Amino acid sequence: MGIIFDRQQSTKPVLIKRIELTGVAYTSECTACSNGTYADVEGMTECRACAADTFAVRGARECTPCGSDKEYAVVGSSACLARPPCTMRDYFQTHTACDENKETQIMYQWIKPKVCLEDLEGAVHLPASGVKTSCPPCNLGMYYTNSTCEFCPPNTFSNGNQPCRPCQASTTPDRGLSYKWWNTMPPFLTADCFPNDDTGCATPTGWQLAGDHIHSGTGHADDVYLVLSLTVSGFRSVTQLGTKAEVGRVTFEFELQCTSDCILFFIKDKDMVIKSWTGDTKTTHFSYVFYSDKPTIFRWAFTKTQWDKAFTITGKKKYDFADDMAIIRSIAVTNTKDGGASACKPCPLGSPNDGNSCIPCPAGNYIDTKTSKCKECPSNTVVQESNPYDLKSCEKCGSGTRAKDHQFCYSDCKLTLPNQQTFDFSALQGWHSMRGSNLFTGSGTAFYHSFNLSLCGSPDDYSVICTNNATSGGVLEDDGVNEDGVKAAICRTTVIPSSSTDGGHALTAQSVSLGDHLVAVTNETLYEKFNAELTSLANGDTGTVHFYFHSLSSTQACPDGRNTIISMHCNLTYTGKGAILMPASYLDGTSDGCTFHFHWVSMYSCPICAESDYAVVMEQCKKGVQNTHYIKAKKCIEVTKPAMKTQECRMLPFEIQLVIAAAVFVALILCILVVHFWKKNRKLEYKYSKLSQRQTHSEKEDIELPAAETCAIDDDEEEQYDSVEFSNSSSSTGKKLFNKLKAMTGKDDSDNPFENIKLTEKTPVLS
């Protein structure tokens, strides 16, 4: 906690939740000092620890020196111990600075305080120092000068082996920090050893340089923390980028050589643990992306064992794991303001540079590597990199979202699905809050989580703020994060309710972002790394539309950041804003602290009614007029209801009229076919009659006629229908037609396939 005395800023009260006092108001006698401590004056408020090579038992008034040089005692000892023979673990190797010949001397030093003896049987001696060896090359972006490696000047670059060279025209140095060689401590990097008290560190800095790596050293007590800190003053070319753009990246390679449950923490700034590794670990490569251009401190903190295992029952420090160590082989940070460049990158054509970076392209543009010109990204895309080279730097916004100046994606509250369903969530835009379940700490203190969110709306006012009042200091920065809270689309704050003893003020702390940007708005339950099917309402409904959010801030528990799913549920009985519910199976909307799921039930989660969502109802005809009504048949929101239609009545229903028209058409076709085949049959009958007449005449005259080639009538042959007389001529016309049809189908009442025809001769067949 702290108080600001700057009058230009409004101060906040210091809130103290609870003060507890234990013990009694007075004592009747003094308590004897414990082993390893002493009190040489009566009435002392605390006991003093014995110095090195001395000891004391309980109640001592002074410390006793060890009996001989063959004994030793660490600070706070209750007895002296025999000095062991020296081993290779009792000394370490260092290197001197490179000389004008680019040579370095290998030096050896005993770990202090030295407790071993060299004259005992089996002891090793300190190796001879001063052996010269060639210096390794400088790190990338550095050059050798005055027996040291320094960063290249502005507008130059080096690979570490060669002198710095100037960048070509229309290019700029790609500056950064790259540490691979460890003969000397690199710039901006510091090492520290933090014991529980004044003892335990074998060397003041703890970490030791070893040429191609740096390690945490040997001989330290088990309780110490060995910390390596890298201070980065800032980053370049980020002023016009969206909140989702990558500003820089830190990459390192390490190894843990442990026989215990040692831990290596990777920490950002004060206390943000990015990731940790436990126990013996082989060579590992790790990379972390960050999105803020503020000055940053990265720390690597190593401890050999858990706190409760670092001391004996009497409180004495242990040295059981003195040889366990962390080894860091390389560290690299990109896009820094300070540092050196190992290469030059092209600038946009025609843009100057200030020695550190090019004048960036306008927002939403990338640099075409072929032409070195700035080109605008395609529509509905955002720039994802601080140095956007080539079209791959433009990333398309997710389904159902649109781009704001190519910087970030948002939803304007309107959505059209591929099935042409449309939604309008405009009534749900703005700031919304909800309260989580009542929880308790291990000591019984009650607290709960408060959630703030903004679903959709204007891109200029699309975020909410979660604040902390347990600390004081400043306002929110542009990146949306500081000690007082966070700024995001969705955030969470821990709230400790007020009580009668704290003046009615609730404490808020530990605000975190659950969604920095909107990924997609869709009806798909599986989208990229999101799964909306994991939770549902009590009736099994998983929602009609899902809003997918992602937070870029990573933690040790959530190395890939946090995800949030808001599922929209259609219910016309939930008027107004509706209700935001948490899954019954998840505590506070999450099962792992990294993925959160909320269900929003509202009438505005229903689709807008389309014409297909209405049932058509037609009234009976009244006075020649018929009304047609449209009644909503599905769950949807009526924006414009179809108007009632009025039209003149038809004598018959339209469906019946269609049936009649089809029947008439079929009947007409049948009639045409009957007439066609009837006429054709008449021609055949006429030809047959002529043949029969000729046959009869030839029999009488004994004349042989040539055989007919065909029964058809020639084109120049006239039909003499008037010369044909049927034997059943007295029958009705209907009966004649019936007989014709039977003749066409080859059916008759008798087995005789021929028909009796009476012919009347008008013209002699033969002359």
Side-chain angles (χ1 to χ4, degrees), residues 499-669:
S499 63
S500 58
T501 60
D502 57 16
H505 295 284
L507 299 180
T508 60
Q510 298 179 352
S511 297
V512 296
S513 170
L514 304 183
D516 298 328
H517 63 275
L518 181 63
V519 177
V521 183
T522 177
N523 62 338
E524 299 178 18
T525 56
L526 299 177
Y527 189 88
E528 294 182 356
K529 54 189 173 183
F530 297 91
N531 185 358
E533 297 178 353
L534 295 178
T535 65
S536 63
L537 296 180
N539 59 1
D541 181 20
T542 58
T544 55
V545 174
H546 309 281
F547 284 73
Y548 297 117
F549 294 88
H550 178 62
S551 172
L552 297 168
S553 301
S554 60
T555 63
Q556 181 181 3
C558 307
D560 297 327
R562 295 182 176 92
N563 299 319
T564 298
I565 304 173
I566 300 180
S567 298
M568 312 302 295
H569 298 263
C570 172
N571 193 321
L572 296 175
T573 62
Y574 282 72
T575 58
K577 303 293 185 180
I580 304 176
L581 309 176
M582 297 184 184
S585 57
Y586 286 177
L587 184 64
D588 269 4
T590 181
S591 62
D592 57 3
C594 298
T595 299
F596 293 78
H597 202 156
F598 305 107
H599 299 272
W600 198 329
V601 185
S602 170
M603 63 177 294
Y604 296 106
S605 299
C606 299
I608 298 175
C609 294
E611 185 175 351
S612 58
D613 296 326
Y614 292 90
V616 180
V617 178
M618 303 178 68
E619 294 183 356
Q620 293 183 352
C621 290
K622 295 180 180 180
K623 298 181 180 181
V625 176
Q626 186 179 42
N627 295 326
T628 301
H629 299 271
Y630 295 89
I631 300 177
K632 188 170 66 173
K634 298 181 180 179
K635 289 194 302 182
C636 58
I637 301 176
E638 288 185 327
V639 177
T640 303
K641 184 177 180 179
M644 181 184 67
K645 292 183 180 180
T646 301
Q647 58 185 2
E648 295 182 358
C649 289
R650 301 182 180 93
M651 297 303 297
L652 292 175
F654 181 71
E655 292 80 1
I656 298 179
Q657 293 182 16
L658 288 177
V659 173
I660 294 176
V664 171
F665 178 76
V666 172
L668 180 61
I669 295 298

Side-chain angles (χ1 to χ4, degrees), residues 151-351:
F151 289 117
C152 287
N155 282 330
T156 62
F157 70 99
S158 173
N159 61 3
N161 286 312
Q162 299 175 346
C164 299
R165 293 176 292 171
C167 292
Q168 297 180 356
S170 299
T171 64
T172 190
D174 188 9
R175 305 183 75 89
L177 303 176
S178 179
Y179 302 144
K180 182 180 179 182
W181 301 106
W182 304 89
N183 274 26
T184 58
M185 187 65 72
F188 313 120
L189 198 65
T190 58
D192 297 283
C193 179
F194 297 100
N196 182 48
D197 49 27
D198 295 333
T199 63
C201 293
T203 59
T205 59
W207 293 81
Q208 298 174 7
L209 301 168
D212 61 349
H213 67 274
I214 184 173
H215 61 83
S216 57
T218 59
H220 306 295
D222 295 345
D223 70 313
V224 301
Y225 272 86
L226 300 147
V227 180
L228 200 63
S229 302
L230 176 62
T231 302
V232 182
S233 62
F235 301 89
R236 304 172 295 127
S237 304
V238 295
T239 55
Q240 299 187 31
L241 298 176
T243 57
K244 191 182 176 182
E246 174 183 327
V247 172
R249 183 185 299 261
V250 56
T251 304
F252 59 93
E253 188 178 281
F254 71 96
E255 178 184 353
L256 301 182
Q257 295 180 357
C258 299
T259 58
S260 63
D261 53 350
C262 64
I263 306 176
L264 176 66
F265 297 95
F266 176 50
I267 305 170
K268 179 183 177 184
D269 294 327
K270 292 182 179 180
D271 55 3
M272 181 179 176
V273 178
I274 303 300
K275 192 173 178 60
S276 66
W277 297 265
T278 303
D280 194 68
T281 304
K282 296 181 179 180
T283 302
T284 302
H285 184 89
F286 181 76
S287 183
Y288 171 72
V289 178
F290 45 94
Y291 303 88
S292 171
D293 61 347
K294 295 192 308 180
T296 304
I297 299 178
F298 297 105
R299 291 183 173 92
W300 293 262
F302 176 74
T303 184
K304 299 184 179 183
T305 187
Q306 301 291 338
W307 180 265
D308 56 344
K309 299 179 181 179
F311 298 89
T312 63
I313 298 178
T314 59
K316 182 180 178 181
K317 291 187 177 185
K318 290 183 179 180
Y319 287 80
D320 295 343
F321 311 111
D323 295 332
D324 290 3
M325 67 175 67
I327 298 174
I328 295 181
R329 303 190 184 281
S330 64
I331 298 175
V333 185
T334 64
N335 201 40
T336 60
K337 288 183 177 179
D338 298 322
S342 61
C344 297
K345 61 184 181 181
C347 281
L349 191 63
S351 70

Side-chain angles (χ1 to χ4, degrees), residues 435-451:
R435 173 174 172 168
S437 306
N438 291 327
L439 305 172
F440 297 90
T441 64
S443 61
T445 303
F447 70 97
Y448 65 88
H449 289 131
S450 176
F451 300 87

Side-chain angles (χ1 to χ4, degrees), residues 37-40 50 55-57 59-64:
T37 63
Y38 71 100
D40 56 353
C50 290
F55 71 97
V57 296
R61 297 179 63 90
E62 62 181 7
C63 297
T64 303

